[in-house]
Amino acid sequence: MPTQMNADQMKLLSRTTPRYTSYPTAPNFETGAGEELIDALIKNANSNGPASLYLHVPYCDRLCWFCGCHTKQIRRYEPVAKYVETLIGEMKLVRRSAGKPIRVSRIHWGGGSPSILRQAESVALRSALEENFLIADGAEVSVEVDPSDLENADISALVALGITRASIGVQDFDERVQSAINRPQSFESTKAAADRLRQAGVSSLNIDALYGLPHQTTNTLRRTTELINELRPDRIALFGYAHVPWLKKHQRLIPEDALPGIEERFAQAEAASTWFREFGYVAIGIDHFSLPGDELAKAMSEGRLRRNFQGYTTDCCDTLIGLGASAISRSPQAYVQNLPPTSLYQSKIEAGELAALKGKRLSLDDQIRALMIEDLMCNFSINVARLEEKFGDAANRYVEEMHMVANQRIPMLCRMTKTGLEMVEQMKPFVRLVAAEFDAYLTDQTQRFSKVV
């Protein structure tokens, strides 16, 4: 990462862009198109090989002010139990629409806090999954965990789901930072949760942390990275906090004058990356780290790294079936998103209909640009031979576009080589800016997104 920047560079790097966990990005999905697309997506799922499942649990027992997820705080468990019934109903509708069980090799539980589930609901969900899908032996089953949920009984609930990987939210261990984001969480409670998960047989642990938080400094972040290293997770995700109060109203509770400026954010990201690598982790893409023997590091070295809504992944499934309020499904031809409001989602499922709302049918242009952007985000380059192998002569005009971007538009960030477009080494953290150059939908510069770093 550059340590000194002139005014023009600072202006460029201060831009905001999508995170490119998909292309086209979710704001470009078309309302009303989901109902048309979801049936075909489900019916064709088995023809694309095993699918992945994403199940969304939109409930937490506390509201963290930094959160950008679709979730709500609850004080009673009854809404969770009722929601589980709806999730099971949606599974049955998907099975009916497919005509036969869809083969599944990966399952991810997101939220909200899926760890809020109790054992009875977890057992019911696992049974419903096995009844309505063909789950492969050895399938990876991952879950996002809030340590405050994990009493001993709740560990049993996660085990009942067949969890093999858990992602523990940390964000930051500094008490002043935690107070500013309404996320009190001690290192001791986090370690206890990690220890109980490992003792219960969960084979892999991730830690999710943030930089760019209110009152956070490079010094406070140093202590957080040291404590994370004491936990020795298999993977670490270090995201830049996305302050988007126009989208998430609860973020207005965060004091904006306490947020670090753009140079401090750059410094935090650079320093944390250096420290994790010194601790023996391999840097993965722009914001992930893994132990050298982890499958994520192997996938990166072998060119198998992929990008999805959770960030970097080894998941090579072409089809994703999203279940739950706001969940997104994906196939090589389309994206489909469920109704976000929980009440509307539940009403639709209870009426015996799939809850798809938004969707986007992918044109050839979309598919080519999606591959280019994913290649950039995963490998910091666009391989021309890969484009030509998949799309033939249709790739030609995109190669011309690469030359224009590298030679005329942003030569400080990227360059052309014998194999294609490549990021300048020290500018790799700003790869989202290069990806944005190939985003055909990003024409309105007044659109508001998160900071590049």
Side-chain angles (χ1 to χ4, degrees):
M1 184 180 296
T3 55
Q4 293 184 338
M5 291 176 282
N6 60 39
D8 289 340
Q9 291 172 330
M10 180 63 74
K11 182 178 179 180
L12 175 65
L13 303 179
S14 299
R15 286 170 50 189
T16 62
T17 62
R19 295 196 180 217
Y20 292 114
T21 52
S22 73
Y23 181 83
T25 57
N28 297 300
F29 297 174
E30 299 164 3
T31 300
E35 293 183 6
E36 174 190 351
L37 296 173
I38 189 62
D39 193 56
L41 188 152
I42 291 172
K43 280 183 168 59
N44 294 326
N46 279 324
S47 64
N48 294 320
S52 293
L53 292 182
Y54 173 82
L55 299 101
H56 191 72
V57 180
Y59 298 104
C60 298
D61 52 18
R62 58 178 174 178
L63 182 62
C64 302
W65 296 341
F66 67 86
C67 185
C69 300
H70 173 70
T71 187
K72 64 175 68 175
Q73 181 181 9
I74 57 165
R75 301 190 182 280
R76 300 179 301 112
Y77 187 72
E78 287 78 6
V80 180
K82 185 176 186 299
Y83 181 82
V84 166
E85 294 177 2
T86 310
L87 265 182
I88 292 173
E90 187 178 15
M91 293 181 203
K92 294 177 180 178
L93 291 175
V94 168
R95 166 68 175 82
R96 186 179 71 186
S97 180
K100 59 183 177 180
I102 295 172
R103 291 174 290 140
V104 171
S105 62
R106 292 192 180 230
I107 301 172
H108 182 82
W109 293 88
S113 296
S115 51
I116 203 171
L117 295 171
R118 295 178 183 172
Q119 188 170 21
E121 283 67 42
S122 294
V123 169
L125 284 166
R126 182 67 190 190
S127 296
L129 284 168
E130 292 173 347
E131 289 171 5
N132 293 286
F133 299 92
L134 294 177
I135 302 174
D137 292 339
E140 179 178 294
V141 184
S142 55
V143 66
E144 297 167 13
V145 172
D146 180 345
S148 68
D149 294 332
L150 293 191
E151 299 175 357
N152 288 327
D154 296 319
I155 293 288
S156 299
L158 295 181
V159 171
L161 288 174
I163 300 302
T164 61
R165 181 186 301 280
S167 293
I168 302 176
V170 165
Q171 321 322 331
D172 189 284
F173 282 121
D174 184 85
E175 290 185 2
R176 188 184 186 198
V177 175
Q178 290 180 353
S179 177
I181 62 174
N182 197 38
R183 176 76 179 210
Q185 181 177 320
S186 69
F187 171 74
E188 290 73 22
S189 67
T190 306
K191 185 178 185 303
D195 289 345
R196 288 199 297 271
L197 286 164
R198 283 170 167 147
Q199 291 164 7
V202 176
S203 59
S204 181
L205 290 183
N206 305 356
I207 292 292
D208 294 337
L210 291 173
Y211 66 85
L213 291 169
H215 303 299
Q216 199 175 41
T217 67
T218 305
N219 288 335
T220 64
L221 187 58
R222 170 69 183 185
R223 181 57 179 156
T224 291
T225 63
E226 290 172 341
L227 291 173
I228 289 174
N229 185 48
E230 285 188 34
L231 299 172
R232 208 57 183 171
D234 301 271
R235 300 178 186 178
I236 301 164
L238 180 73
F239 300 118
Y241 165 58
H243 190 61
V244 288
W246 55 91
L247 293 177
K248 299 295 178 181
K249 293 183 179 180
H250 54 264
Q251 289 188 352
R252 296 174 185 173
L253 297 169
I254 288 178
E256 291 195 352
D257 59 356
L259 292 171
I262 201 135
E263 290 187 76
E264 174 63 16
R265 282 178 68 99
F266 291 167
Q268 290 178 12
E270 181 182 36
S273 177
T274 298
W275 296 327
F276 284 133
R277 285 183 280 116
E278 289 175 350
F279 296 151
Y281 286 88
V282 176
I284 308 291
I286 59 173
D287 50 22
H288 282 50
F289 304 85
S290 76
L291 293 175
D294 186 83
E295 186 61 24
L296 202 63
K298 295 178 183 177
M300 184 183 70
S301 66
E302 297 169 4
R304 296 184 290 105
L305 193 64
R306 300 292 302 273
R307 186 109 171 124
N308 67 10
F309 294 105
Q310 281 71 56
Y312 292 103
T313 180
T314 61
D315 185 0
C316 61
C317 297
D318 285 333
T319 300
L320 168 71
I321 305 294
L323 303 172
S326 80
I328 297 177
S329 299
R330 182 202 69 233
S331 75
Q333 295 79 34
Y335 285 100
V336 179
Q337 184 174 23
N338 277 353
L339 286 157
T342 305
S343 59
L344 296 180
Y345 158 77
Q346 289 182 295
S347 296
K348 196 80 168 177
I349 298 299
E350 289 166 3
E353 302 176 43
L354 291 169
L357 172 65
K358 294 183 178 181
K360 182 67 177 176
R361 188 185 304 278
L362 302 184
S363 66
L364 178 61
D365 181 74
D366 291 332
Q367 294 175 48
I368 294 175
R369 293 182 183 278
L371 181 58
M372 294 167 68
I373 288 173
E374 184 177 46
D375 207 2
L376 267 172
M377 296 299 296
C378 292
N379 304 310
F380 300 109
S381 64
I382 303 175
N383 188 286
V384 170
R386 185 182 177 203
L387 276 183
E388 292 175 340
E389 179 183 357
K390 187 164 185 178
F391 298 108
D393 292 342
N396 292 343
R397 76 177 183 91
Y398 299 89
V399 177
E400 294 175 7
E401 191 173 338
M402 288 183 225
H403 280 279
M404 184 182 69
V405 167
N407 298 328
Q408 300 178 34
R409 293 184 60 83
I410 45 174
M412 65 173 286
L413 296 183
C414 58
R415 62 192 174 200
M416 290 301 294
T417 69
K418 292 181 180 180
T419 58
L421 183 142
E422 184 178 280
M423 291 292 299
V424 173
E425 180 65 30
Q426 66 268 30
M427 304 304 284
K428 284 181 176 179
F430 309 109
V431 67
R432 286 165 56 192
L433 284 175
V434 182
E437 291 292 325
F438 299 102
D439 186 340
Y441 297 90
L442 199 63
T443 56
D444 180 1
Q445 294 303 311
T446 65
Q447 287 180 272
R448 305 174 77 181
F449 299 99
S450 61
K451 294 183 185 296
V452 173
V453 170

